[in-house]
Amino acid sequence: MVTATAPGKAILFGEHAVVYGEPAVAVAINARVSVTLEQCDGDWQIDGYPLDSGRHPHLISLKNALLGGNSQSYSVFVESELFPAAGLGSSAALSSAGCAAMLSLSGMPIDSEQIATLSHLAEADAQSGRASPIDTSTSTLGGCVLVSNKKEELAEWRYTRNLKTPEGERTWEVHSVSLPKSASEVWLVVGNTGIHAPTSEMVAGVAELLASNPSKKEDIARMGEVARLGVDALSKGNYPQVGALMNEAHRLLSSVGVSCSELDDMVEVARRTSFGAKLTGAGGGGCMLALTQNPAETAAALEMRGCRVLVTPLGASGVAIENQ
Ligand code: MEV
């Protein structure tokens, strides 16, 4: 039996734009997904039910890639501290932890680049071939991660990821960003709209918009510039500037159609007690986040609107084997 855990993620800058090669910045958050694998007879199971390709595409893709079709069967037990399917990378954390657990059981090395690669391919399979490595790399590496179409000077380069997408071949350079000491004095307050909007549909919606209205590509390019400015401000500990750029990122995400009135309302409320706020992840519902020095006040203001809230420091440790 083996248990592995991996953190969820919050994207500070560049969601959606990163699918088109623009940079994106995310931090691992203090909420984890745990995957336990235990040998069993008969077919693979998850939490007592048969593993099903429609409901568990990530685990099936990893199992086929790592163990082959006719491997020993396992019972999979999943526990999650994340809001499910809400833009906090629960499927990436499941993939990353599931991959580490499978590697460990096969006696293979627990190699971050391999985990990030296989989890990314599993995510792409589940998202009609369109997935950037931002979620899976942040969940695997932990800390703060910058993904870009080129090697960036502001961060430590870790590896390259390639993927054939319906819009053509994409290459991403994945980096780790060192956060300054002062990052321990600010928090992210994440608010959940409770509205479920599948990532694959939101990503496909942006692809359709860009095809029918090419001028929107300017918004995608500006999101990339905002992400570069954002990582610079973050690594200098300039939180007012980070907040202002988050506000701009939210406006650009609205412009490509991935916000909604609930997200706009929560972002507006959170801005009163924070440096800045924006939707995070695929949008259409899901979560928003605010960068704040007053986490209790910002969280209370969002809770007054009836939404569930999670408070996290910036950065958490990446995928880990917990017991064996
Ligand atoms: C989802 O967390 C982030 C998106 O940019 C999709 C992706 O990067 O694959 C919307």
Side-chain angles (χ1 to χ4, degrees), residues 192-208:
N192 187 0
T193 60
I195 301 168
H196 176 54
T199 299
S200 56
E201 286 175 23
M202 298 310 296
V203 172
V206 173
E208 276 163 34

Side-chain angles (χ1 to χ4, degrees), residues 9 11 14-16 18-19 87 127 130-132 134-135 199 203 281-282:
K9 65 88 203 15
I11 298 183
E15 51 271 271
H16 287 288
V18 68
V19 175
Q127 285 178 206
R130 291 187 193 95
S132 80
I134 186 79
D135 291 15
T199 299
V203 172

Side-chain angles (χ1 to χ4, degrees), residues 150-214:
K150 62 179 178 87
K151 290 187 182 163
E152 302 280 346
E153 279 171 14
L154 280 166
E156 182 200 349
W157 177 81
R158 302 292 293 264
Y159 49 81
T160 304
R161 284 290 318 120
N162 296 302
L163 184 73
K164 279 198 178 109
T165 75
E167 282 74 38
E169 175 108 22
R170 302 263 177 235
T171 299
W172 293 272
E173 305 295 347
V174 179
H175 311 71
S176 288
V177 178
S178 307
L179 294 176
K181 269 206 172 118
S182 60
S184 61
E185 289 154 30
V186 292
W187 284 266
L188 291 176
V189 175
V190 178
N192 187 0
T193 60
I195 301 168
H196 176 54
T199 299
S200 56
E201 286 175 23
M202 298 310 296
V203 172
V206 173
E208 276 163 34
L209 178 73
L210 297 179
S212 64
N213 186 349

Side-chain angles (χ1 to χ4, degrees), residues 7-13 24-31 82 87-89 134-135 137-146 177-179 183 186-190 231 234 242 246 280 289-291 312-317:
K9 65 88 203 15
I11 298 183
L12 298 180
F13 298 105
V25 186
V27 289
I29 61 173
N30 253 4
L82 290 165
L88 299 183
I134 186 79
D135 291 15
S137 288
T138 308
S139 194
T140 303
L141 299 175
C144 179
V145 168
L146 166 67
V177 178
S178 307
L179 294 176
V186 292
W187 284 266
L188 291 176
V189 175
V190 178
V231 78
L234 191 61
V242 176
M246 286 167 66
T280 186
L289 55 76
L291 179 72
T312 174
L314 277 69
S317 56

Side-chain angles (χ1 to χ4, degrees), residues 1-323:
M1 184 176 107
V2 65
T3 299
T5 68
K9 65 88 203 15
I11 298 183
L12 298 180
F13 298 105
E15 51 271 271
H16 287 288
V18 68
V19 175
Y20 301 92
E22 296 294 340
V25 186
V27 289
I29 61 173
N30 253 4
R32 302 182 80 82
V33 171
S34 147
V35 176
T36 298
L37 294 187
E38 200 177 313
Q39 282 196 4
C40 72
D41 296 328
D43 292 333
W44 279 64
Q45 299 213 327
I46 180 161
D47 295 326
Y49 294 93
L51 202 58
D52 168 73
S53 57
R55 297 184 57 214
H56 316 110
H58 301 82
L59 289 173
I60 301 242
S61 160
L62 290 166
K63 157 176 133 39
N64 292 342
L66 275 171
L67 306 175
N70 298 319
S71 67
Q72 158 72 45
S73 294
Y74 290 95
S75 289
V76 186
F77 300 95
V78 179
E79 281 172 36
S80 177
E81 298 167 344
L82 290 165
F83 303 130
L88 299 183
S90 54
S91 63
L94 172 73
S95 302
S96 183
C99 185
M102 288 183 205
L103 283 173
S104 167
L105 281 176
S106 330
M108 291 189 247
I110 309 298
D111 174 66
S112 320
E113 188 177 338
Q114 189 184 13
I115 296 174
T117 300
L118 291 173
S119 310
H120 178 214
L121 295 176
E123 191 96 312
D125 271 356
Q127 285 178 206
S128 317
R130 291 187 193 95
S132 80
I134 186 79
D135 291 15
T136 41
S137 288
T138 308
S139 194
T140 303
L141 299 175
C144 179
V145 168
L146 166 67
V147 168
S148 176
N149 56 356
K150 62 179 178 87
K151 290 187 182 163
E152 302 280 346
E153 279 171 14
L154 280 166
E156 182 200 349
W157 177 81
R158 302 292 293 264
Y159 49 81
T160 304
R161 284 290 318 120
N162 296 302
L163 184 73
K164 279 198 178 109
T165 75
E167 282 74 38
E169 175 108 22
R170 302 263 177 235
T171 299
W172 293 272
E173 305 295 347
V174 179
H175 311 71
S176 288
V177 178
S178 307
L179 294 176
K181 269 206 172 118
S182 60
S184 61
E185 289 154 30
V186 292
W187 284 266
L188 291 176
V189 175
V190 178
N192 187 0
T193 60
I195 301 168
H196 176 54
T199 299
S200 56
E201 286 175 23
M202 298 310 296
V203 172
V206 173
E208 276 163 34
L209 178 73
L210 297 179
S212 64
N213 186 349
S215 71
K216 292 285 177 186
K217 288 185 184 158
E218 285 166 28
D219 289 333
I220 297 285
R222 178 63 190 161
M223 285 181 205
E225 286 166 17
V226 166
R228 276 206 179 89
L229 294 169
V231 78
D232 185 41
L234 191 61
S235 49
K236 291 181 177 143
N238 185 347
Y239 304 112
Q241 176 69 359
V242 176
L245 290 163
M246 286 167 66
N247 292 343
E248 179 172 358
H250 184 78
R251 186 182 60 69
L252 293 163
L253 287 161
S254 301
S255 168
V256 298
V258 298
S259 192
C260 63
S261 57
E262 290 82 356
L263 281 167
D264 291 345
D265 181 49
M266 286 160 64
V267 159
E268 184 57 41
V269 166
R271 279 181 187 157
R272 294 176 203 152
T273 55
S274 67
F275 293 112
K278 62 182 275 291
L279 72 83
T280 186
C287 290
M288 50 68 66
L289 55 76
L291 179 72
T292 180
Q293 277 176 320
N294 310 304
E297 249 182 286
T298 308
L302 288 167
E303 276 165 349
M304 289 282 283
R305 310 296 266 214
C307 52
R308 291 181 64 203
V309 166
L310 182 157
V311 178
T312 174
L314 277 69
S317 56
V319 67
I321 298 291
E322 302 293 345
N323 73 332

